[in-house]
Amino acid sequence: VCSVQRAALLANRDVGNFGSKDVAYFLDNTWSLLPETNESLRHKYLYTVKEFQHAVFKMHGFFGFITPGIIFLDFKALPANRKEL
């Protein structure tokens, strides 16, 4: 049980910027995800406009798909509140 609770806390820290009221912090972290989720942007210093546009389009689709209420995880009442994130 403790391991799953720790995993939930770790996952919540990983997506913590989704709950931030600081728009600049949120956008900075969002732009950092582009190379992480798009191999073509990861392995090159130069990439085409088409590759970048495809990455932004995928990000748009991701944000259209997620439900804000299920981004943060809990397991057996941990975390008890958002202050633990």
Side-chain angles (χ1 to χ4, degrees):
V1 171
C2 184
S3 294
V4 177
Q5 288 175 323
R6 287 181 180 176
L9 289 171
L10 177 65
N12 287 342
R13 280 193 295 272
D14 187 45
V15 296
N17 67 301
F18 281 85
S20 175
K21 293 182 181 183
D22 183 352
V23 176
Y25 175 66
F26 172 75
L27 289 175
D28 182 50
N29 283 289
T30 300
W31 284 112
S32 298
L33 291 175
L34 284 176
E36 184 179 319
T37 58
N38 295 277
E39 188 174 352
S40 62
L41 304 184
R42 221 180 306 152
H43 297 293
K44 300 177 186 177
Y45 290 105
L46 297 173
Y47 40 84
T48 67
V49 172
K50 185 176 181 177
E51 289 171 328
F52 185 75
Q53 183 265 338
H54 180 72
V56 171
F57 184 75
K58 282 175 47 179
M59 184 68 68
H60 177 267
F62 171 72
F63 284 127
F65 174 76
I66 60 174
T67 304
I70 61 171
I71 290 175
F72 297 101
L73 304 173
D74 64 84
F75 183 75
K76 297 205 181 237
L78 188 67
N81 60 43
R82 293 292 312 274
K83 293 179 182 178
E84 294 182 42
L85 297 179

mmCIF file of all heavy atoms in Angstrom, residues 32-58:
data_model
loop_
_atom_site.group_PDB
_atom_site.id
_atom_site.type_symbol
_atom_site.label_atom_id
_atom_site.label_comp_id
_atom_site.label_asym_id
_atom_site.label_seq_id
_atom_site.Cartn_x
_atom_site.Cartn_y
_atom_site.Cartn_z
ATOM 1 N N SER A 32 8.225 22.226 -22.711
ATOM 2 C CA SER A 32 9.281 21.249 -22.441
ATOM 3 C C SER A 32 8.852 19.831 -22.803
ATOM 4 O O SER A 32 9.693 18.961 -23.023
ATOM 5 C CB SER A 32 9.679 21.297 -20.958
ATOM 6 O OG SER A 32 10.187 22.557 -20.626
ATOM 7 N N LEU A 33 7.544 19.586 -22.847
ATOM 8 C CA LEU A 33 7.045 18.261 -23.194
ATOM 9 C C LEU A 33 7.149 17.940 -24.675
ATOM 10 O O LEU A 33 7.148 16.772 -25.057
ATOM 11 C CB LEU A 33 5.580 18.114 -22.767
ATOM 12 C CG LEU A 33 5.293 18.071 -21.282
ATOM 13 C CD1 LEU A 33 3.790 18.049 -21.045
ATOM 14 C CD2 LEU A 33 5.959 16.874 -20.649
ATOM 15 N N LEU A 34 7.236 18.957 -25.520
ATOM 16 C CA LEU A 34 7.238 18.707 -26.963
ATOM 17 C C LEU A 34 8.340 17.732 -27.385
ATOM 18 O O LEU A 34 8.060 16.742 -28.043
ATOM 19 C CB LEU A 34 7.322 20.011 -27.748
ATOM 20 C CG LEU A 34 6.030 20.810 -27.817
ATOM 21 C CD1 LEU A 34 6.267 22.127 -28.539
ATOM 22 C CD2 LEU A 34 4.935 20.030 -28.495
ATOM 23 N N PRO A 35 9.610 17.959 -27.028
ATOM 24 C CA PRO A 35 10.633 16.976 -27.420
ATOM 25 C C PRO A 35 10.461 15.634 -26.711
ATOM 26 O O PRO A 35 10.806 14.592 -27.256
ATOM 27 C CB PRO A 35 11.950 17.628 -27.022
ATOM 28 C CG PRO A 35 11.653 19.035 -26.726
ATOM 29 C CD PRO A 35 10.192 19.138 -26.428
ATOM 30 N N GLU A 36 9.931 15.667 -25.504
ATOM 31 C CA GLU A 36 9.748 14.430 -24.747
ATOM 32 C C GLU A 36 8.749 13.500 -25.427
ATOM 33 O O GLU A 36 8.899 12.282 -25.397
ATOM 34 C CB GLU A 36 9.268 14.770 -23.335
ATOM 35 C CG GLU A 36 9.123 13.593 -22.415
ATOM 36 C CD GLU A 36 8.673 14.009 -21.024
ATOM 37 O OE1 GLU A 36 9.164 15.026 -20.504
ATOM 38 O OE2 GLU A 36 7.827 13.305 -20.460
ATOM 39 N N THR A 37 7.759 14.072 -26.070
ATOM 40 C CA THR A 37 6.700 13.264 -26.674
ATOM 41 C C THR A 37 6.789 13.167 -28.192
ATOM 42 O O THR A 37 5.928 12.556 -28.815
ATOM 43 C CB THR A 37 5.314 13.828 -26.287
ATOM 44 O OG1 THR A 37 5.232 15.191 -26.731
ATOM 45 C CG2 THR A 37 5.082 13.765 -24.794
ATOM 46 N N ASN A 38 7.821 13.780 -28.784
ATOM 47 C CA ASN A 38 7.977 13.755 -30.241
ATOM 48 C C ASN A 38 9.432 13.471 -30.597
ATOM 49 O O ASN A 38 10.294 14.334 -30.470
ATOM 50 C CB ASN A 38 7.550 15.095 -30.849
ATOM 51 C CG ASN A 38 6.082 15.355 -30.652
ATOM 52 O OD1 ASN A 38 5.264 14.872 -31.413
ATOM 53 N ND2 ASN A 38 5.738 16.094 -29.613
ATOM 54 N N GLU A 39 9.665 12.280 -31.054
ATOM 55 C CA GLU A 39 11.031 11.832 -31.328
ATOM 56 C C GLU A 39 11.744 12.715 -32.345
ATOM 57 O O GLU A 39 12.938 12.985 -32.215
ATOM 58 C CB GLU A 39 11.029 10.386 -31.809
ATOM 59 C CG GLU A 39 12.417 9.804 -31.936
ATOM 60 C CD GLU A 39 12.395 8.335 -32.266
ATOM 61 O OE1 GLU A 39 11.329 7.710 -32.252
ATOM 62 O OE2 GLU A 39 13.485 7.823 -32.548
ATOM 63 N N SER A 40 11.032 13.201 -33.335
ATOM 64 C CA SER A 40 11.670 14.023 -34.365
ATOM 65 C C SER A 40 12.254 15.318 -33.797
ATOM 66 O O SER A 40 13.223 15.850 -34.318
ATOM 67 C CB SER A 40 10.683 14.348 -35.484
ATOM 68 O OG SER A 40 9.600 15.104 -34.994
ATOM 69 N N LEU A 41 11.690 15.823 -32.712
ATOM 70 C CA LEU A 41 12.223 17.034 -32.083
ATOM 71 C C LEU A 41 13.337 16.714 -31.091
ATOM 72 O O LEU A 41 14.083 17.601 -30.694
ATOM 73 C CB LEU A 41 11.106 17.795 -31.359
ATOM 74 C CG LEU A 41 9.883 18.189 -32.178
ATOM 75 C CD1 LEU A 41 8.926 19.008 -31.322
ATOM 76 C CD2 LEU A 41 10.266 18.948 -33.422
ATOM 77 N N ARG A 42 13.457 15.483 -30.711
ATOM 78 C CA ARG A 42 14.426 15.054 -29.698
ATOM 79 C C ARG A 42 15.822 14.841 -30.259
ATOM 80 O O ARG A 42 16.805 15.096 -29.596
ATOM 81 C CB ARG A 42 13.941 13.742 -29.094
ATOM 82 C CG ARG A 42 14.124 13.633 -27.629
ATOM 83 C CD ARG A 42 13.634 12.319 -27.097
ATOM 84 N NE ARG A 42 12.264 12.049 -27.485
ATOM 85 C CZ ARG A 42 11.757 10.847 -27.641
ATOM 86 N NH1 ARG A 42 12.487 9.788 -27.461
ATOM 87 N NH2 ARG A 42 10.508 10.687 -27.991
ATOM 88 N N HIS A 43 15.920 14.349 -31.474
ATOM 89 C CA HIS A 43 17.198 13.889 -32.006
ATOM 90 C C HIS A 43 17.867 14.869 -32.954
ATOM 91 O O HIS A 43 18.894 14.570 -33.521
ATOM 92 C CB HIS A 43 17.016 12.544 -32.716
ATOM 93 C CG HIS A 43 16.562 11.469 -31.789
ATOM 94 N ND1 HIS A 43 17.353 10.975 -30.777
ATOM 95 C CD2 HIS A 43 15.388 10.805 -31.689
ATOM 96 C CE1 HIS A 43 16.699 10.048 -30.111
ATOM 97 N NE2 HIS A 43 15.494 9.928 -30.646
ATOM 98 N N LYS A 44 17.310 16.025 -33.151
ATOM 99 C CA LYS A 44 17.869 16.977 -34.105
ATOM 100 C C LYS A 44 17.968 18.357 -33.477
ATOM 101 O O LYS A 44 17.174 18.734 -32.633
ATOM 102 C CB LYS A 44 16.977 17.089 -35.337
ATOM 103 C CG LYS A 44 16.773 15.806 -36.092
ATOM 104 C CD LYS A 44 15.815 16.071 -37.237
ATOM 105 C CE LYS A 44 15.436 14.795 -37.957
ATOM 106 N NZ LYS A 44 14.468 15.021 -39.007
ATOM 107 N N TYR A 45 18.951 19.082 -33.925
ATOM 108 C CA TYR A 45 19.001 20.502 -33.568
ATOM 109 C C TYR A 45 18.139 21.310 -34.522
ATOM 110 O O TYR A 45 17.653 22.372 -34.194
ATOM 111 C CB TYR A 45 20.442 21.015 -33.596
ATOM 112 C CG TYR A 45 21.273 20.454 -32.485
ATOM 113 C CD1 TYR A 45 22.214 19.473 -32.718
ATOM 114 C CD2 TYR A 45 21.090 20.901 -31.183
ATOM 115 C CE1 TYR A 45 22.968 18.942 -31.686
ATOM 116 C CE2 TYR A 45 21.828 20.378 -30.144
ATOM 117 C CZ TYR A 45 22.772 19.402 -30.409
ATOM 118 O OH TYR A 45 23.504 18.887 -29.381
ATOM 119 N N LEU A 46 17.977 20.775 -35.711
ATOM 120 C CA LEU A 46 17.118 21.409 -36.707
ATOM 121 C C LEU A 46 16.017 20.434 -37.079
ATOM 122 O O LEU A 46 16.263 19.251 -37.275
ATOM 123 C CB LEU A 46 17.925 21.775 -37.959
ATOM 124 C CG LEU A 46 19.036 22.798 -37.753
ATOM 125 C CD1 LEU A 46 19.854 22.938 -39.028
ATOM 126 C CD2 LEU A 46 18.452 24.138 -37.342
ATOM 127 N N TYR A 47 14.819 20.944 -37.193
ATOM 128 C CA TYR A 47 13.693 20.118 -37.610
ATOM 129 C C TYR A 47 12.813 20.970 -38.503
ATOM 130 O O TYR A 47 12.899 22.204 -38.504
ATOM 131 C CB TYR A 47 12.916 19.559 -36.415
ATOM 132 C CG TYR A 47 12.730 20.523 -35.283
ATOM 133 C CD1 TYR A 47 11.698 21.447 -35.297
ATOM 134 C CD2 TYR A 47 13.600 20.516 -34.206
ATOM 135 C CE1 TYR A 47 11.537 22.343 -34.263
ATOM 136 C CE2 TYR A 47 13.441 21.410 -33.165
ATOM 137 C CZ TYR A 47 12.406 22.319 -33.196
ATOM 138 O OH TYR A 47 12.252 23.210 -32.174
ATOM 139 N N THR A 48 11.988 20.304 -39.256
ATOM 140 C CA THR A 48 11.163 21.026 -40.227
ATOM 141 C C THR A 48 9.975 21.697 -39.532
ATOM 142 O O THR A 48 9.579 21.321 -38.422
ATOM 143 C CB THR A 48 10.635 20.072 -41.314
ATOM 144 O OG1 THR A 48 9.713 19.153 -40.708
ATOM 145 C CG2 THR A 48 11.773 19.312 -41.986
ATOM 146 N N VAL A 49 9.420 22.658 -40.220
ATOM 147 C CA VAL A 49 8.210 23.315 -39.730
ATOM 148 C C VAL A 49 7.082 22.288 -39.625
ATOM 149 O O VAL A 49 6.292 22.312 -38.678
ATOM 150 C CB VAL A 49 7.815 24.491 -40.653
ATOM 151 C CG1 VAL A 49 6.451 25.057 -40.274
ATOM 152 C CG2 VAL A 49 8.863 25.575 -40.617
ATOM 153 N N LYS A 50 7.042 21.364 -40.566
ATOM 154 C CA LYS A 50 6.011 20.332 -40.554
ATOM 155 C C LYS A 50 6.130 19.451 -39.312
ATOM 156 O O LYS A 50 5.124 19.097 -38.685
ATOM 157 C CB LYS A 50 6.103 19.474 -41.817
ATOM 158 C CG LYS A 50 4.998 18.468 -41.933
ATOM 159 C CD LYS A 50 5.070 17.719 -43.249
ATOM 160 C CE LYS A 50 3.920 16.733 -43.341
ATOM 161 N NZ LYS A 50 3.911 16.039 -44.618
ATOM 162 N N GLU A 51 7.361 19.077 -38.929
ATOM 163 C CA GLU A 51 7.556 18.259 -37.728
ATOM 164 C C GLU A 51 7.124 19.020 -36.476
ATOM 165 O O GLU A 51 6.477 18.464 -35.591
ATOM 166 C CB GLU A 51 9.024 17.839 -37.611
ATOM 167 C CG GLU A 51 9.448 16.819 -38.629
ATOM 168 C CD GLU A 51 10.938 16.581 -38.650
ATOM 169 O OE1 GLU A 51 11.719 17.530 -38.379
ATOM 170 O OE2 GLU A 51 11.341 15.442 -38.937
ATOM 171 N N PHE A 52 7.461 20.318 -36.413
ATOM 172 C CA PHE A 52 7.063 21.135 -35.269
ATOM 173 C C PHE A 52 5.545 21.301 -35.234
ATOM 174 O O PHE A 52 4.924 21.181 -34.178
ATOM 175 C CB PHE A 52 7.753 22.492 -35.323
ATOM 176 C CG PHE A 52 7.474 23.336 -34.117
ATOM 177 C CD1 PHE A 52 8.088 23.071 -32.908
ATOM 178 C CD2 PHE A 52 6.570 24.384 -34.184
ATOM 179 C CE1 PHE A 52 7.821 23.835 -31.784
ATOM 180 C CE2 PHE A 52 6.295 25.157 -33.066
ATOM 181 C CZ PHE A 52 6.924 24.876 -31.870
ATOM 182 N N GLN A 53 4.939 21.544 -36.396
ATOM 183 C CA GLN A 53 3.491 21.708 -36.464
ATOM 184 C C GLN A 53 2.785 20.428 -36.032
ATOM 185 O O GLN A 53 1.793 20.480 -35.311
ATOM 186 C CB GLN A 53 3.093 22.088 -37.897
ATOM 187 C CG GLN A 53 1.614 22.353 -38.090
ATOM 188 C CD GLN A 53 0.846 21.131 -38.583
ATOM 189 O OE1 GLN A 53 1.403 20.208 -39.164
ATOM 190 N NE2 GLN A 53 -0.443 21.120 -38.326
ATOM 191 N N HIS A 54 3.324 19.291 -36.432
ATOM 192 C CA HIS A 54 2.742 18.011 -36.033
ATOM 193 C C HIS A 54 2.810 17.850 -34.510
ATOM 194 O O HIS A 54 1.845 17.396 -33.883
ATOM 195 C CB HIS A 54 3.474 16.862 -36.734
ATOM 196 C CG HIS A 54 2.955 15.518 -36.380
ATOM 197 N ND1 HIS A 54 1.732 15.049 -36.814
ATOM 198 C CD2 HIS A 54 3.478 14.531 -35.608
ATOM 199 C CE1 HIS A 54 1.530 13.844 -36.331
ATOM 200 N NE2 HIS A 54 2.583 13.497 -35.599
ATOM 201 N N ALA A 55 3.940 18.236 -33.901
ATOM 202 C CA ALA A 55 4.095 18.137 -32.448
ATOM 203 C C ALA A 55 3.089 19.031 -31.726
ATOM 204 O O ALA A 55 2.467 18.617 -30.744
ATOM 205 C CB ALA A 55 5.521 18.510 -32.051
ATOM 206 N N VAL A 56 2.915 20.251 -32.207
ATOM 207 C CA VAL A 56 1.955 21.175 -31.587
ATOM 208 C C VAL A 56 0.531 20.655 -31.763
ATOM 209 O O VAL A 56 -0.286 20.723 -30.841
ATOM 210 C CB VAL A 56 2.113 22.599 -32.166
ATOM 211 C CG1 VAL A 56 0.998 23.514 -31.694
ATOM 212 C CG2 VAL A 56 3.464 23.179 -31.782
ATOM 213 N N PHE A 57 0.227 20.076 -32.919
ATOM 214 C CA PHE A 57 -1.090 19.510 -33.159
ATOM 215 C C PHE A 57 -1.374 18.351 -32.209
ATOM 216 O O PHE A 57 -2.474 18.226 -31.663
ATOM 217 C CB PHE A 57 -1.203 19.054 -34.620
ATOM 218 C CG PHE A 57 -2.558 18.534 -34.983
ATOM 219 C CD1 PHE A 57 -3.623 19.403 -35.171
ATOM 220 C CD2 PHE A 57 -2.783 17.178 -35.132
ATOM 221 C CE1 PHE A 57 -4.877 18.936 -35.504
ATOM 222 C CE2 PHE A 57 -4.038 16.695 -35.463
ATOM 223 C CZ PHE A 57 -5.085 17.582 -35.645
ATOM 224 N N LYS A 58 -0.359 17.491 -31.978
ATOM 225 C CA LYS A 58 -0.525 16.391 -31.029
ATOM 226 C C LYS A 58 -0.761 16.921 -29.616
ATOM 227 O O LYS A 58 -1.586 16.386 -28.870
ATOM 228 C CB LYS A 58 0.711 15.490 -31.046
ATOM 229 C CG LYS A 58 0.767 14.552 -32.230
ATOM 230 C CD LYS A 58 2.045 13.743 -32.310
ATOM 231 C CE LYS A 58 2.467 13.105 -31.019
ATOM 232 N NZ LYS A 58 3.708 12.304 -31.149
#
